[in-house]
Amino acid sequence: MGYKQVSIDKVFSSRLMLTQYSGLSKEVRDFVNYTVLDCLKLNSQLRLRGVFKSKVVKPKQDNFWFLSWSDIIELRMAIVDENMFEVFKIVFGITEKDFIKLEMFNAFAVYGWIAKQVSEMIKIEFQELSNDLTDEEKNAGAEELQEFGYSLTLDVLTKGDLLKSDDWLRIAYAKIFRKLCIDKKRYDINKTLQENASRKLKRDS
């Protein structure tokens, strides 16, 4: 039995801590990444290993739509940066002291659960809030506004009043999303009315 097989057997037979992941050989890490992690059952509860028994930590919200808007913004940034500690800090409120007590496979299963929830939220947002710009809007440079991301939305909701930003960011994202959906529907209706009026004017002229 070679070193690689011994290392892989160790992965299965022991409760490796998350902090040990970076110390695994490249071959074993690749094995974990492409063989083991894909088979993990997603989990919403973190296990912190204690001296005598593990402690289970539940997320602040099982449904991420009810996290604050600021939490959702920071969570997405942390996932893009692959900052696992920051992700768990936002969702579970854990400390660095807690982080080193996480079991590797449990941590990855929970991280997968978080990533899936965020991915599903993004899909719903795209379905409900995406908007095809007209040629006139594109020519006017409307696409350039997209680079401002949530800052643009925040500016619209606060009507440019920066003093109100923190109040909006503390609101549950479900309420923010509903507000954006209402505004989007109102925009679509007004746009249709304007297009109909424009066509009628052309017919009558």
Side-chain angles (χ1 to χ4, degrees):
M1 182 180 293
Y3 171 74
K4 177 181 177 182
Q5 185 61 46
V6 171
S7 299
I8 290 173
D9 288 344
K10 182 180 179 182
V11 168
F12 279 112
S13 63
S14 63
R15 294 163 65 194
L16 285 174
M17 304 305 289
L18 183 60
T19 52
Q20 294 175 270
Y21 176 75
S22 59
L24 297 174
S25 69
K26 183 179 182 304
E27 285 184 316
V28 176
R29 280 204 312 274
D30 288 344
F31 173 80
V32 171
N33 290 341
Y34 300 113
T35 306
V36 179
L37 297 183
D38 286 342
C39 299
L40 287 176
K41 182 178 180 180
L42 301 185
N43 191 348
S44 64
Q45 297 183 347
L46 276 178
R47 287 198 302 270
L48 306 182
R49 183 186 292 184
V51 178
F52 300 107
K53 64 179 182 179
S54 295
K55 174 185 175 182
V56 174
V57 182
K58 296 181 179 180
K60 291 187 289 185
Q61 292 286 350
D62 286 321
N63 187 334
F64 288 3
W65 290 99
F66 295 102
L67 288 172
S68 69
W69 188 14
S70 61
D71 277 347
I72 290 298
I73 293 169
E74 292 173 6
L75 178 58
R76 292 181 180 182
M77 292 173 61
I79 289 176
V80 170
D81 294 338
E82 297 182 345
N83 187 335
M84 189 174 282
F85 167 65
E86 194 64 26
V87 168
F88 289 154
K89 178 182 175 183
I90 295 166
V91 177
F92 293 90
I94 70 169
T95 63
E96 291 186 11
K97 186 177 180 181
D98 293 329
F99 188 69
I100 63 175
K101 298 177 183 178
L102 297 179
E103 297 172 11
M104 186 175 72
F105 290 146
N106 170 251
F108 277 113
V110 173
Y111 190 85
W113 171 75
I114 294 171
K116 182 178 180 182
Q117 282 229 46
V118 171
S119 177
E120 290 175 348
M121 290 177 72
I122 291 173
K123 287 181 182 178
I124 293 173
E125 287 174 346
F126 181 79
Q127 291 170 358
E128 299 298 327
L129 301 177
S130 62
N131 188 42
D132 294 330
L133 298 177
T134 64
D135 291 337
E136 290 80 5
E137 290 171 330
K138 290 179 181 178
N139 292 333
E143 289 178 307
E144 297 176 14
L145 290 173
Q146 296 177 358
E147 66 182 78
F148 294 101
Y150 82 90
S151 297
L152 176 62
T153 304
L154 185 60
D155 184 67
V156 171
L157 293 176
T158 61
K159 295 180 172 60
D161 186 349
L162 294 177
L163 296 178
K164 296 180 180 178
S165 296
D166 288 343
D167 292 335
W168 280 95
L169 290 169
R170 281 193 290 266
I171 296 174
Y173 187 60
K175 294 182 179 180
I176 297 294
F177 179 68
R178 182 173 178 79
K179 166 65 174 169
L180 296 178
C181 287
I182 291 172
D183 289 349
K184 169 68 164 48
K185 180 60 69 176
R186 185 178 292 121
Y187 169 82
D188 289 341
I189 291 172
N190 288 334
K191 185 176 179 181
T192 300
L193 289 173
Q194 290 175 4
E195 290 172 348
N196 291 341
S198 179
R199 283 194 293 268
K200 184 177 185 301
L201 184 62
K202 287 180 179 180
R203 287 197 305 268
D204 295 342
S205 61

